[in-house]
Amino acid sequence: MGDLNYRLDVDEKPSALASTIQSDYTALIPQDQLVKLRNSGGAFSDFHEGRIEFPPTYKYIRGSSQYDNRKEKKIRAPSWCDRILYCLHDASSSTEVSRITVVDYNHVPSMVTSDHKPVFQRAVVLVKKHDEECMRRLREATEEVLQKGNDG
């Protein structure tokens, strides 16, 4: 199985990328391996992704929001290793893309417990129909999980 941590295909040294990220990280998006792969039809071509409007989410020094370019560590180019892709089961629908509207796709810069910044997505999903009983069970299960989290 291949590596699913897609990186940037750039010739610049990772330490030199810091200034590009500070000034205009969007210029790096076309160099993203996953973007290239999806555009070429190589993988995940049936999937969609919200517009990336946040800086690379990897590789940070744990406990900080500084990209890790320490010489004693393995230097990795800052990358968008953390992504949310989505695909619809009803691919035959001509309105496929319009049934999911990404409202927010972003990272959480305040999280510093990992060398990655987590990402999240909020979306409006239009469904053809729903099963009221199934929705009730899902709501109850979700409430139970949330309650356990609050009790713990």
Side-chain angles (χ1 to χ4, degrees), residues 15 24 38 40 59 93 117-118 122 131 146:
S15 57
D24 184 20
R38 287 183 56 232
S40 71
K59 179 171 189 335
S93 172
K117 299 292 183 185
R122 290 184 304 152
D131 179 334
L146 291 173

Side-chain angles (χ1 to χ4, degrees), residues 1-9 31-38 42-44 57-58 77-83 85 116:
M1 178 113 195
D3 184 4
L4 294 179
N5 280 323
Y6 296 98
R7 308 208 189 280
L8 292 172
D9 280 331
Q31 303 308 314
D32 176 74
Q33 292 172 340
L34 182 57
V35 168
K36 288 178 165 183
L37 191 62
R38 287 183 56 232
F44 303 109
T57 57
Y58 174 81
S79 300
W80 288 275
C81 291
D82 308 280
R83 311 288 271 275
L85 302 179
H116 291 255

Side-chain angles (χ1 to χ4, degrees), residues 53-141:
E53 295 181 337
F54 50 89
T57 57
Y58 174 81
K59 179 171 189 335
Y60 289 89
I61 298 173
R62 287 180 200 263
S64 79
S65 288
Q66 296 257 306
Y67 286 107
D68 193 347
N69 58 6
R70 296 175 289 178
K71 293 182 183 359
E72 69 274 11
K73 298 288 185 173
K74 184 173 184 176
I75 306 271
R76 300 265 192 196
S79 300
W80 288 275
C81 291
D82 308 280
R83 311 288 271 275
I84 298 173
L85 302 179
Y86 58 93
C87 182
L88 300 170
H89 292 288
D90 186 9
S92 63
S93 172
S94 61
T95 60
E96 178 178 332
V97 176
S98 65
R99 291 192 292 128
I100 294 181
T101 303
V102 175
V103 177
D104 194 8
Y105 183 39
N106 212 328
H107 74 311
V108 184
S110 61
M111 296 293 290
V112 296
T113 55
S114 171
D115 57 356
H116 291 255
K117 299 292 183 185
V119 298
F120 66 92
Q121 176 173 293
R122 290 184 304 152
V124 175
V125 180
L126 301 177
V127 295
K128 290 180 181 178
K129 63 179 181 176
H130 74 279
D131 179 334
E132 193 62 42
E133 177 60 21
C134 180
M135 293 297 289
R136 183 189 63 73
R137 287 192 314 266
L138 284 171
R139 186 173 35 257
E140 287 174 359

